Amino acid sequence: MREILGTTQVLGVIGYPVRHSFSPPMHNAALEALDLDFCYVAFEVEPVRLSAAIEGMKALGIVGLNVTIPHKETLLSLVDEIGEEARLIGALNTLYFDGQRLYGDNTDGRGFVASLRAGGEDPQGKQVVVLGAGGSARAVTVALARAGAKEIVLANRTQVRAERLAEMLNTRLRPGVARVVQWQSAQLQYELGRADLIVNTTSVGMHPQEEACPVADLPPLLPEALVYDIIYNPLETVFLRRAMAQGARTMNGVEMLVYQGALSFQLWTGREPPIEVMREALLRELQVRQKRG
Ligand code: NAP
């Protein structure tokens, strides 16, 4: 850990609860690797104290914050300016100052797409299936539509949420870019079988429900299909294991987590983030937590 000095500047994550966050070890490892005079801490703030906390952030000169549940949407009305993508997603995950003005951004979707590109995948022209229609699905689909995905087929247990998301994508981003199919239907099986990219954004299969899988059966996938589960605990979900069993290429949620963090890091420090250091710190912390059970 780098020495804390009188000059040390503060970064952090604000949420409630927030003690479980993986961001402090990941960002502190990056700050240390670049020998930057910052530290990154977790602020557990109850919803009723959120606006006081933001005033405190301004008064104390906290350089930037990540935002997590349940403040991601509420903060939209507490910042001076909102990035275009955050506005479309309807949630923030990053706060930083642009001069005196507090700026709210969302790096989740851009982080997802950056992780694809880092793995040699360009979403441009791709046929995509996204499972889920929650907060992360909004971020992922907005970024995919902006990155030129050909079509995004959405399926969600609560269909009306998928329909609302598809309507937003079609009206605000590109007419016809999104379409909804019924959850666990034969039509979903058909779409999975012809997709270039399949993304699970549901929490099904996440620790401690590790034996669960968002789709009962995976049909035969295209030989070059990429299956991405944004869950990072466990690293290998049942969903990914079923895809691997077919020989499909897979990616897990560590990549999205690293790249969304890297984009925030760049906004705060103006420095190129040390991706490998961030990934290693995250994997180390995941291992520690898994041992604890
Ligand atoms: P969210 O807004 O609460 O959405 C949860 C989604 O999961 C909804 O689509 C919900 O469907 C679906 N779901 C939950 N339980 C289900 C069940 N039993 N059967 C079918 N569908 C179910 O959560 P979120 O913020 O989008 O997060 C979702 C997952 O993404 C979590 O595992 C989270 O850890 C992960 N995540 C990863 C990253 C990353 O950087 N890697 C970032 C954000 C989130 P309904 O609409 O029907 O409830």
Side-chain angles (χ1 to χ4, degrees), residues 69 108 132-137 156-158 161 183 201-204 206 230-232 253-254 256-257 260:
I69 290 167
D108 279 338
S136 54
N156 191 49
R157 178 180 61 175
T158 310
R161 287 184 90 188
W183 186 242
T201 72
T202 75
S203 47
V204 181
M206 189 173 76
I230 71 162
I231 291 174
Y232 46 84
V254 163
M256 175 171 167
L257 198 56
Q260 61 77 32

Side-chain angles (χ1 to χ4, degrees), residues 16-289:
Y16 187 78
V18 80
R19 303 282 173 226
H20 62 283
S21 173
F22 287 94
S23 295
M26 179 171 76
H27 282 288
N28 283 315
L31 294 166
E32 196 175 341
L34 299 189
D35 195 25
L36 298 177
D37 191 13
F38 287 85
C39 69
Y40 186 108
V41 292
F43 296 105
E44 192 152 280
V45 176
E46 287 179 57
V48 290
R49 311 201 69 182
L50 186 61
S51 57
I54 296 304
E55 282 312 304
M57 174 193 182
K58 291 179 180 175
L60 293 168
I62 291 171
V63 172
L65 293 175
N66 279 133
V67 183
T68 187
I69 290 167
H71 302 318
K72 289 180 122 175
E73 288 88 16
T74 326
L75 265 168
L76 286 167
S77 61
L78 295 176
V79 296
D80 301 316
E81 256 179 81
I82 300 165
E84 195 192 337
E85 193 156 332
R87 197 181 294 282
L88 288 168
I89 296 167
L92 306 178
N93 82 334
T94 306
L95 302 178
Y96 64 96
F97 284 97
D98 187 3
Q100 290 301 303
R101 295 175 70 72
L102 183 59
Y103 200 86
D105 200 351
N106 195 321
T107 64
D108 279 338
R110 295 207 299 284
F112 173 79
V113 166
S115 73
L116 284 177
R117 290 190 174 133
E121 286 297 313
D122 187 351
Q124 173 84 38
K126 293 279 155 60
Q127 181 69 26
V128 187
V129 171
V130 172
L131 304 172
S136 54
R138 288 181 75 84
V140 163
T141 55
V142 163
L144 283 172
R146 284 165 71 105
K150 181 172 146 204
E151 189 183 43
I152 303 167
V153 175
L154 291 165
N156 191 49
R157 178 180 61 175
T158 310
Q159 190 158 325
V160 66
R161 287 184 90 188
E163 282 162 2
R164 268 190 238 121
L165 177 53
E167 191 188 337
M168 185 279 281
L169 295 166
N170 287 330
T171 53
R172 306 274 298 274
L173 283 163
R174 187 164 16 110
V177 70
R179 178 162 60 83
V180 176
V181 297
Q182 210 182 334
W183 186 242
Q184 306 295 13
S185 62
Q187 207 188 344
L188 173 58
Q189 290 284 308
Y190 169 75
E191 296 294 348
L192 289 167
R194 70 185 198 104
D196 303 309
L197 171 64
I198 298 169
V199 191
N200 175 41
T201 72
T202 75
S203 47
V204 181
M206 189 173 76
H207 181 77
Q209 261 86 49
E210 294 186 18
E211 293 316 310
C213 185
V215 285
D217 287 306
L218 261 188
L221 304 176
L222 291 180
E224 69 280 10
L226 173 65
V227 179
Y228 198 135
D229 196 330
I230 71 162
I231 291 174
Y232 46 84
N233 188 14
L235 294 175
E236 219 176 270
T237 57
V238 169
F239 182 59
L240 287 188
R241 283 213 292 275
R242 287 186 184 165
M244 282 171 196
Q246 288 196 26
R249 295 172 307 134
T250 60
M251 284 177 76
N252 66 36
V254 163
E255 296 308 306
M256 175 171 167
L257 198 56
V258 166
Y259 280 90
Q260 61 77 32
L263 290 168
S264 301
F265 184 93
Q266 203 160 22
L267 286 170
W268 298 323
T269 64
R271 298 285 299 271
E272 196 60 41
I275 296 289
E276 195 49 47
V277 168
M278 295 174 86
R279 184 186 291 114
E280 270 171 25
L282 197 54
L283 290 172
R284 225 178 7 250
E285 185 63 20
L286 272 161
Q287 229 172 25
V288 169
R289 306 264 185 110

